[in-house]
Amino acid sequence: MNGLKMSRRKITNLIVIDSTETKPNSDITIRDVDEWHRIAGRLKVGYHFFIRRDGLIEVGRNLNEVGAHTKEHNADSVSVCLAGGLNTRGVVAPDYGKPQIESLFTLVLTLTYMYPNATVVGHRDLSKTENPSFNVKEWWKANSENCGLLKHKLRG
């Protein structure tokens, strides 16, 4: 591939949650995101994990590889992307389904066990974006402290 190769991540300080900025009726898969990223000049999909609208978790980059998802934080983070982030009118909104949020909780819980020193954040906490359209830090704090799913509603 043009002499380029993937770099290995040496440290994991962040678990970054992002979204595709697509409407609820868009059945986006990791293959779609991979195609978008390749068109944008990346070697392959930039995310480590992708959660479809039905809650299915798809694997992207190898966990040991540096991602391509959040400028200036790729080398020290693991990334999870949710399909969605817009409502049916195309306005930024946390319009995710229950299966997605349950999968997100389970995946993030697993990742925090794997990387106990990592902080869970939204892409919007690191860049000028509204993705993933809700306050990830607040959501994670409420859910992780209560050891349960959906203890805290998503808020923009």
Side-chain angles (χ1 to χ4, degrees):
M1 291 189 111
N2 301 337
L4 299 174
K5 64 178 188 167
M6 293 278 123
S7 299
R8 295 185 68 77
R9 193 177 62 259
K10 294 175 176 63
I11 189 167
T12 305
N13 295 320
L14 301 168
I15 298 167
V16 181
I17 313 305
D18 202 351
S19 74
T20 57
E21 289 188 328
T22 53
K23 295 179 182 179
N25 61 349
S26 299
D27 188 23
I28 306 298
T29 70
I30 199 161
R31 294 181 92 178
D32 297 312
V33 179
D34 181 52
E35 184 178 328
W36 299 340
H37 285 187
R38 288 175 191 264
I39 290 169
R42 297 177 187 155
L43 291 175
K44 61 181 178 180
V45 65
Y47 302 109
H48 295 95
F49 296 97
F50 182 75
I51 303 176
R52 293 176 64 166
R53 296 294 298 184
D54 64 3
L56 179 68
I57 299 171
E58 297 179 316
V59 178
R61 289 200 182 193
N62 183 296
L63 265 178
N64 295 321
E65 293 175 345
V66 171
H69 48 86
T70 308
K71 197 173 187 176
E72 298 181 21
H73 295 283
N74 290 325
D76 72 338
S77 63
V78 170
S79 59
V80 178
C81 183
L82 293 160
L86 301 178
N87 65 20
T88 55
R89 295 183 317 270
V91 176
V92 173
D95 198 6
Y96 303 104
K98 184 177 177 181
Q100 275 185 295
I101 300 306
E102 289 175 345
S103 292
L104 178 63
F105 178 84
T106 303
L107 179 56
V108 171
L109 185 63
T110 301
L111 291 170
T112 58
Y113 280 110
M114 294 172 68
Y115 307 105
N117 297 320
T119 302
V120 180
V121 299
H123 189 177
R124 73 187 207 168
D125 297 315
L126 306 171
S127 301
K128 291 185 179 187
T129 181
E130 295 183 61
N131 290 343
S133 73
F134 67 97
N135 187 324
V136 171
K137 288 180 180 180
E138 186 179 286
W139 169 82
W140 180 245
K141 185 176 189 310
N143 279 284
S144 63
E145 287 177 356
N146 291 304
C147 298
L149 299 173
L150 303 173
K151 296 280 186 187
H152 181 72
K153 290 193 83 143
L154 299 180
R155 290 191 297 215

